[in-house]
Amino acid sequence: MTVKERIETLAKPKLSRSTLSFGPSLSWGNQQPMWELSKAAKAAEPTERILMLSQPKRNFSTQEDLRPQWEYSCGRQSPIIQPTSAARVANKTERIDALAQPKTHHRLYTENRPMYEFSCGRSSPVEAPAKGAKAAGERERTNQLAKAKRVHSEFQASREVQTVPSEAAKNTRPTERLEQLAEAKRRPEGPFREPEWPVARRALKANSTERTRELSRPKGLVEGFQGNRHVQWHVTKSAKQAVATRRVEELSVPIQRESMDHVQFNPDVFKVSESAKKAKCSARTEELAQPISLFRY
């Protein structure tokens, strides 16, 4: 191929594969055939085999609506069936009466339902108040802590998203600049240039330079290049017959660690010690416990 023919080939636009048609245009979702039926096919009589295959499949189910069966059990019947009239009238046996009895607890069993419902079997840190605590007098510090936190004097509530426009905003007229910005952007209709255009005579008769020929050569591979190794390769006979050393066997043994439930289990984690109950805070701790007054009430 000459340079002129190569330039003419490259100057042609690339064809769109979407415009090519490899067969008849089909619209899916209807009963229209792909190819038009011939008159002989329309006038032909079907054979016994075709008539047998054209029969609809027999429905072996006795139910009329099987939609719940496919929605909740993947097409399988539910194991819970409706009892028959004979089963409803039948008398129970001793074995059925024994199986119907609920399981009884051990005679030494003590029920502790709140402990297992709210604290996974551990004693709750929230204890019932003692009689002395109920009869105790009020303190100034307790009353101070019992007060709810007040809102700051400069606090402003969240502004509503929807606001009412004023009368001045309703009666205003837009400026020339706002009207200019409100106009839709005008776009000229294309196409602006034909996809195929004539090539100049000078370009057809031009000869490529040595530099252009050098750049047009494909990039070669480096000396000593090796392709990618295949993921799967054959195992050698020596590897199949090899015996693992004692050190390899020691390293292949998995490490067995105790579970965190047993390591971190502490049944007395929520219990307060007797010394902590009788302790008295220092003057510095009491000073740090006082609230910081930053708000103006």
Side-chain angles (χ1 to χ4, degrees), residues 72-90:
Y72 306 106
S73 58
C74 301
R76 300 181 180 178
Q77 296 182 357
S78 176
I80 303 176
I81 57 177
Q82 297 295 334
T84 60
S85 57
R88 295 177 181 178
V89 183

Side-chain angles (χ1 to χ4, degrees), residues 195-239:
E196 185 176 355
W197 64 92
V199 184
R201 293 183 179 180
R202 293 182 180 180
L204 296 174
K205 298 179 180 180
N207 296 325
S208 59
T209 60
E210 294 183 0
R211 179 58 178 167
T212 306
R213 293 175 184 174
E214 182 181 355
L215 294 174
S216 64
R217 295 174 184 172
K219 188 176 180 180
L221 300 176
V222 186
E223 295 182 0
F225 172 78
Q226 295 181 1
N228 297 331
R229 185 178 179 183
H230 199 272
V231 179
Q232 184 179 1
W233 61 86
H234 298 285
V235 184
T236 59
K237 294 183 179 180
S238 58

Side-chain angles (χ1 to χ4, degrees), residues 13-22:
K14 188 176 181 181
L15 296 177
S16 178
R17 300 292 181 182
S18 61
T19 59
L20 299 179
S21 179
F22 298 97

Side-chain angles (χ1 to χ4, degrees), residues 10-14 189-199:
L10 294 175
K12 294 181 180 180
K14 188 176 181 181
E189 298 181 359
F192 307 98
R193 179 175 56 82
E194 295 293 336
E196 185 176 355
W197 64 92
V199 184

Side-chain angles (χ1 to χ4, degrees), residues 245-264:
T245 60
R246 184 177 299 176
R247 177 59 178 167
V248 175
E249 293 180 355
E250 292 178 0
L251 294 175
S252 63
V253 177
I255 301 175
Q256 296 181 358
R257 298 185 178 90
E258 295 183 1
S259 62
M260 299 303 294
D261 296 338
H262 295 82
V263 174
Q264 297 181 353

Side-chain angles (χ1 to χ4, degrees), residues 11 16 19 34 60 63 90 103 107 112 124-125 127 134 154 169 188 192 201 238 252 257 282:
S16 178
T19 59
M34 295 178 61
F60 292 94
Q63 303 177 8
K103 188 176 180 180
R107 55 186 179 85
N112 193 359
S124 175
E127 300 177 356
K134 295 180 180 180
E154 299 179 359
F192 307 98
R201 293 183 179 180
S238 58
S252 63
R257 298 185 178 90
S282 60

Side-chain angles (χ1 to χ4, degrees), residues 63-106:
Q63 303 177 8
E64 296 181 358
D65 188 10
L66 297 178
R67 185 174 301 176
Q69 182 172 329
W70 289 96
E71 286 183 355
Y72 306 106
S73 58
C74 301
R76 300 181 180 178
Q77 296 182 357
S78 176
I80 303 176
I81 57 177
Q82 297 295 334
T84 60
S85 57
R88 295 177 181 178
V89 183
N91 298 326
K92 59 182 179 180
T93 59
E94 296 181 359
R95 178 58 178 169
I96 295 178
D97 193 6
L99 294 174
Q101 297 297 329
K103 188 176 180 180
T104 57
H105 298 287
H106 195 268

Side-chain angles (χ1 to χ4, degrees), residues 126-176:
V126 183
E127 300 177 356
K131 295 182 179 179
K134 295 180 180 180
E138 298 182 355
R139 296 186 307 166
E140 183 180 358
R141 176 60 177 165
T142 306
N143 295 334
Q144 182 182 1
L145 294 175
K147 293 180 180 179
K149 188 175 181 180
R150 298 181 181 179
V151 183
H152 195 269
S153 59
E154 299 179 359
F155 173 77
Q156 295 181 1
S158 300
R159 184 180 178 183
E160 296 182 359
V161 179
Q162 184 177 2
T163 57
V164 181
S166 61
E167 295 296 334
K170 294 179 180 179
N171 299 327
T172 53
R173 295 182 180 181
T175 60
E176 295 181 0

